[in-house]
Amino acid sequence: MKTCLILEDVLETRLWLKHIIEDTFDDCHITLAASLAEARVLIANLKHDLVLLDLGLPDGHGLDLLGDIRQASPDALIVVATVAGDDASIVKALSAGVQGYLLKDHEPAIISAQLRQVAMGVPALSPTIANRIMRHFQATAPIMPNVALTNREHEVLDLIGLGLRNAEVARDLNIAESTVSGYIKTIYAKLGISSRAEAAVYARQVRGK
């Protein structure tokens, strides 16, 4: 990540997120905005690799900026960083196509790990949100079809299904974290899923057979 925009109206939180980005990505140029109006000026004048969006802002809703971002920086990764953990906000953001939804009440280390995950192409959800989605799928999802995963892919699926993060999976399997990310993207593509919650449901169904 070479350039990052943080859209957050609370100064203390804006600086807190800035420190997390600085600790997560080396030499990342960070721009800061406290409103949609400020963000639109920054977006128009600089391409961004990563955008952190708050939802409730003085002059509108953070998702109102998605069109501007995609027009100016089509490859930008967009991550919601908010305190809004209600189902309506989550569904609206994920349906709009953001790459991550993170709650700001988590420790910086957790948020940093999730952002690294997004940078490697793996969608990121705060653990509490992922668990909620997993419970929903456990209650309502149909049995997923059996597909041909390799033995290693099954191992990775089992571990992420248990809630392990990429670094923990890499350590357990003695492989690189980037290799784990590659396996996860392949697993998602084969299963037609897009979240760890869905992966956990599938892993549970496979173990139950």
Side-chain angles (χ1 to χ4, degrees), residues 120 122 177-187:
M120 289 187 289
V122 181
E177 189 172 347
S178 59
T179 303
V180 173
S181 298
Y183 279 124
I184 291 174
K185 285 194 280 189
T186 300
I187 291 167

Side-chain angles (χ1 to χ4, degrees), residues 21-130:
I21 294 294
E22 289 171 338
D23 290 341
T24 305
F25 303 114
D26 293 333
D27 302 320
C28 183
H29 176 69
I30 302 170
T31 57
L32 304 174
S35 67
L36 290 176
E38 291 180 9
R40 286 192 171 103
V41 173
L42 293 170
I43 289 168
N45 287 282
L46 178 68
K47 286 188 177 295
H48 292 85
D49 299 319
L50 174 67
V51 180
L52 294 189
L53 288 180
D54 192 11
L55 294 181
L57 296 159
D59 55 348
H61 195 279
L63 295 182
D64 295 340
L65 200 64
L66 294 187
D68 300 82
I69 298 168
R70 287 168 177 157
Q71 182 174 358
S73 302
D75 297 325
L77 300 174
I78 305 170
V79 177
V80 170
T82 181
V83 295
D86 60 284
D87 290 350
S89 295
I90 296 167
V91 170
K92 183 176 181 180
L94 296 180
S95 298
V98 301
Q99 282 75 41
Y101 196 105
L102 305 179
L103 297 180
K104 292 182 289 194
D105 57 0
H106 287 301
E107 292 296 321
I110 293 178
I111 295 176
S112 180
Q114 296 284 350
L115 291 174
R116 281 194 294 269
Q117 179 176 309
V118 169
M120 289 187 289
V122 181
L125 296 173
S126 284
T128 52
I129 294 173

